């Protein structure tokens, strides 16, 4: 099958990373696959080469030097004034439509809400029309409650009307279908499909080690990988670790990620057993050093965070918030959770002491840590990429148009 995976950009982020991983996995299954970015300047080529080395990358370019930058600036100004500026969007739509026709694409898989409505418009206008399967990552419920960009919600309704199929990660993603005027979910082919992960460690000579950070073999390492925004809960991880570190000198904290926000936290942190290691193109190289993975997130769009699958892949139990699909992600039927969950209210943790207590439990009970590590290894099975790809292939086949009458 000839498949185009459209994403607003190809930078670091849960939807983007999964889209690239899916593209590579579909290629390995024998499909012809293309990645499409709405912004040529927002393609992280080293990351693409890491995650989807065999997949072609296409992107919209305005043609004249500086024109796209000027268009984006104008769009931002108009938005601040409360006006809708669609010129760039229409240019991307036209470019994508021509791309679909030139490549003879059979199905589009779109990720991220702004990509969805451009992709469905392009797919509908193409000759022949190209069915679009939308993968919902949490953008829809975020924009439902975002008063600053009402046009996005309106356009998303049109995208859902025109979509040939919908993939959702969590029940939380379906909130949009309860809004009056939105096409009923029952009227569109749909499936819940967990993001797949088929981890590959870097060559041995490139792998980091505990020793290079001054961490002992028997020390307990907590770790966190996430986008570098406050809502992921980095400060809570630091605060809880700081509270415990004096009592437990064998404890360490590794933080994987990069942003101006994280740079500020690093400067403000004086504890020598907190290790800011920056951006990692292959985060599991660091996660393999973790005993416990952390995600005290209160991010509104949190659905099925990739980092949790990465933690489980490496056999690390998870201490996280009860948000999105996290309770189901960590559940081992009949045996409990591969970790611990604490509560959040959309603005932060409702009881930060409970998060600290969950970390303390692993420091005081090696037996608990060993038991939860065993559960984590079992829990990962639901995220195997082979399961994910097979489910996508089935939905892509379901949305293909019926052969024209008279054809074999």
């Amino acid at each position: 099958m000839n498949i185009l995976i459209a994403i607003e950009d190809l930078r670091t982020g849960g939807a983007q990373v999964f889209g690239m991983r899916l593209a590579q996995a579909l290629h390995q299954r024998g499909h012809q696959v293309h990645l499409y970015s709405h912004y040529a300047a927002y393609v992280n080529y080293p990351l693409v080469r890491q995650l989807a080395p065999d997949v072609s990358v296409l992107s919209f370019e305005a043609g004249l030097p500086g024109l796209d930058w000027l268009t984006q600036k104008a769009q931002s100004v108009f938005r601040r004034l409360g006006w809708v500026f669609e010129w760039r969007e229409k240019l991307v739509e036209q470019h994508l439509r021509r791309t679909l026709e030139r490549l003879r694409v059979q199905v589009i898989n779109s990720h991220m809400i702004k990509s969805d409505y451009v992709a469905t418009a392009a797919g509908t206008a193409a000759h022949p029309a190209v069915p679009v399967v939308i993968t919902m990552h949490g953008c829809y419920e975020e924009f439902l409650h975002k008063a600053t960009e009402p046009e996005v919600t309106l356009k998303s309704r049109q995208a859902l009307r025109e979509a040939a199929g919908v993939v959702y990660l969590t029940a939380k993603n379906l909130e949009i279908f309860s809004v009056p005027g939105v096409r009923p979910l029952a009227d569109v082919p749909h499936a819940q499909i967990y993001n797949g992960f088929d981890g590959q460690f870097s060559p041995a000579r490139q792998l980091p080690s505990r020793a290079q950070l001054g961490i002992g073999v028997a020390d307990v390492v907590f770790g966190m990988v996430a986008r570098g925004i406050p809502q992921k809960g980095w400060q809570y991880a630091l605060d809880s670790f700081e509270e415990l570190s004096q009592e437990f000198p064998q404890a360490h904290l590794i933080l994987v990620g990069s942003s101006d926000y994280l740079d500020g936290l690093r400067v403000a942190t004086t504890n020598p057993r907190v290790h800011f290691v920056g951006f990692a193109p292959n985060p599991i190289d660091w996660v393999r050093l973790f005993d416990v993975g952390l995600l005290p997130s209160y991010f509104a769009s949190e659905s099925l965070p990739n980092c949790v699958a990465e933690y489980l892949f490496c056999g690390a139990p998870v201490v996280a918030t009860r948000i999105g699909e996290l309770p189901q992600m960590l559940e081992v039927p009949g045996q409990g959770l591969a970790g611990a969950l604490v509560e959040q209210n959309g603005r932060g943790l409702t009881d930060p002491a409970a998060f600290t207590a969950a970390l303390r439990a692993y420091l005081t009970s090696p037996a608990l840590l060993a038991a939860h590590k065993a559960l984590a290894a079992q829990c990962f099975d639901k995220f195997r990429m082979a399961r994910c790809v097979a489910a996508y292939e089935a939905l892509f086949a379901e949305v293909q148009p019926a052969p024209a009458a008279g054809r074999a």
Side-chain angles (χ1 to χ4, degrees):
M1 191 176 293
N2 192 343
I3 303 164
L4 183 140
I5 295 181
I7 313 178
E8 192 175 347
D9 61 75
L10 294 174
R11 299 180 292 182
T12 303
Q16 296 94 323
V17 166
F18 171 68
M20 289 182 254
R21 287 173 174 164
L22 178 62
Q24 180 66 18
L26 286 165
H27 166 82
Q28 291 171 340
R29 287 276 294 174
H31 300 285
Q32 185 175 356
V33 188
H34 319 273
L35 280 164
Y36 185 92
S37 170
H38 290 219
Y39 297 90
Y42 296 163
V43 177
N44 183 334
Y45 284 100
L47 184 62
V48 175
R49 285 193 294 270
Q50 174 76 30
L51 299 176
D54 301 313
V55 178
S56 65
V57 177
L58 309 164
S59 55
F60 170 77
E61 297 186 65
L64 297 174
L67 179 59
D68 200 26
W69 176 87
L70 183 62
T71 303
Q72 292 177 53
K73 288 295 182 183
Q75 186 169 285
S76 297
V77 171
F78 275 81
R79 181 176 291 118
R80 285 197 296 270
L81 294 172
W83 302 335
V84 178
F85 182 72
E86 296 184 341
W87 185 44
R88 186 185 192 281
E89 213 168 84
K90 292 297 183 184
L91 291 176
V92 177
E93 178 189 321
Q94 291 170 15
H95 181 263
L96 179 55
R97 175 183 56 77
R98 291 193 297 268
T99 300
L100 297 173
E101 294 170 346
R102 175 173 58 85
L103 298 176
R104 299 184 179 182
V105 169
Q106 294 171 276
V107 65
I108 308 167
N109 177 214
S110 178
H111 301 253
M112 303 176 69
I113 192 169
K114 294 183 180 180
S115 174
D116 296 348
Y117 54 72
V118 172
T120 51
T124 301
H127 299 285
V130 182
V132 177
V133 172
I134 289 173
T135 297
M136 307 177 82
H137 290 272
C139 305
Y140 284 80
E141 57 266 34
E142 178 185 5
F143 277 100
L144 268 179
H145 305 290
K146 189 180 260 188
T148 55
E149 297 182 69
E151 78 279 3
V152 175
T153 302
L154 291 174
K155 292 174 184 175
S156 72
R157 296 180 188 186
Q158 180 65 28
L160 292 172
R161 280 194 293 272
E162 296 177 349
V166 168
V167 172
Y168 64 99
L169 309 184
T170 80
K172 172 173 169 280
N173 298 151
L174 302 180
E175 182 182 357
I176 183 70
F177 291 100
S178 66
V179 175
V182 174
R183 176 188 187 184
L185 180 65
D187 289 354
V188 58
H190 60 274
Q192 181 178 18
I193 305 175
Y194 277 0
N195 291 347
F197 178 60
D198 187 11
Q200 300 289 329
F201 294 112
S202 298
R205 67 182 182 279
Q206 298 175 14
L207 291 175
S209 68
R210 287 189 170 204
Q212 76 188 57
L213 297 178
I215 301 174
V217 174
D219 290 347
V220 177
V221 176
F222 298 98
M224 181 169 167
V225 180
R227 197 188 315 178
I229 58 176
Q231 296 90 334
K232 290 289 185 175
W234 299 92
Q235 188 66 62
Y236 288 114
L238 284 165
D239 291 347
S240 290
F241 183 79
E242 189 63 35
E243 183 176 337
L244 295 168
S245 63
Q246 297 304 313
E247 184 181 351
F248 299 97
Q250 79 277 25
H252 288 258
L253 176 63
I254 296 177
L255 302 175
V256 184
S258 64
S259 68
D260 291 342
Y261 170 71
L262 289 178
D263 288 343
L265 293 182
R266 178 179 52 78
V267 170
T269 301
T270 58
N271 191 323
R273 284 184 280 124
V274 176
H275 312 279
F276 287 84
V277 299
F279 169 76
N282 195 25
I284 58 172
D285 290 349
W286 286 105
V287 176
R288 54 185 271 280
L289 306 181
F290 297 1
D291 290 295
V292 180
L294 308 179
L295 190 65
S297 174
Y298 51 98
F299 182 46
S301 294
E302 204 73 80
S303 289
L304 195 86
N306 287 330
C307 67
V308 172
E310 292 167 345
Y311 298 159
L312 297 173
F313 173 78
C314 293
V318 182
V319 180
T321 44
R322 192 182 304 276
I323 191 171
E325 192 78 359
L326 273 160
Q328 292 77 20
M329 293 178 76
L330 299 181
E331 183 181 8
V332 180
Q335 299 185 63
L337 297 177
L341 294 171
V342 298
E343 304 301 327
Q344 58 82 37
N345 58 17
R347 299 180 301 278
L349 301 190
T350 56
D351 183 9
F355 184 74
T356 306
L359 273 58
R360 181 187 296 275
Y362 290 123
L363 291 166
T364 56
S365 176
L368 177 68
L369 180 56
H372 281 191
K373 283 187 173 185
L375 288 179
Q378 295 180 53
C379 201
F380 176 71
D381 187 63
K382 61 174 75 84
F383 300 101
R384 296 193 184 281
M385 184 58 87
R387 290 175 179 267
C388 174
V389 170
Y392 269 92
E393 288 175 323
L395 189 55
F396 291 165
E398 183 179 353
V399 303
Q400 288 300 298
R407 293 184 182 176

